[in-house]
Amino acid sequence: TLFRSSSIVLAALLFSGCTSSQPTAATPPNFDNIFKEKVADAKKDLTVVSGAQVAQMMKDKKEFVIVDVREADEIKTFGKVDWPNQKHLSRGKMEPQLQKSGLKIDDNLYVMCKTGARSSLAAKTLKEYGFKNVAVIDGGMDLWLEKKLPSVD
């Protein structure tokens, strides 16, 4: 009977082990939501300024650098801010380009992309790299153009 009881227990364990090890269909993560959460999280620790505020600083001849993190084809298609002191650092290649970018830790940096999402992540990265004065231009180039702020093709 010990053998029979052990066999029943063993069979039950094997059977339960087999059913619980069946692969279950995993629900894929919603990457769009994760991206939006990361952008919102980045903005919590950043200064966000309007394009109108930046345009006013341009009129007042303030010293600052616009860091455009869009891809080159986006700049070619949509133009750029009409401001001489700007750097193009594609978000996808920003970190390796920082050393030779000419940016200084104490520069006043205003980061821009197409909509404001990538620029928030880029600005967070710039702060992590030690840049002290970093802000995001709200709404990116899309809102800049919509508001008819100074731009060039």
Side-chain angles (χ1 to χ4, degrees), residues 114-130:
K114 186 173 186 306
T115 65
R118 286 175 290 168
S119 57
S120 297
L121 299 174
K124 179 180 178 183
T125 299
L126 288 169
K127 287 186 82 167
E128 290 169 351
Y129 273 72

Side-chain angles (χ1 to χ4, degrees), residues 1-66:
T1 62
L2 179 60
F3 177 73
R4 188 163 201 251
S5 298
S6 298
S7 297
I8 292 171
V9 169
L10 182 58
L13 287 172
L14 287 173
F15 180 72
S16 68
C18 288
T19 57
S20 66
S21 67
Q22 293 292 330
T24 56
T27 304
N30 186 325
F31 294 115
D32 289 338
N33 285 345
I34 293 169
F35 178 70
K36 288 174 186 171
E37 289 170 9
K38 289 194 172 290
V39 168
D41 186 53
K43 282 186 177 180
K44 289 178 189 173
D45 297 325
L46 296 170
T47 301
V48 180
V49 298
S50 70
Q53 288 172 292
V54 175
Q56 185 60 51
M57 292 184 338
M58 292 164 66
K59 284 181 186 175
D60 295 342
K61 300 187 184 328
K62 300 279 184 184
E63 284 199 34
F64 65 93
V65 180
I66 291 177

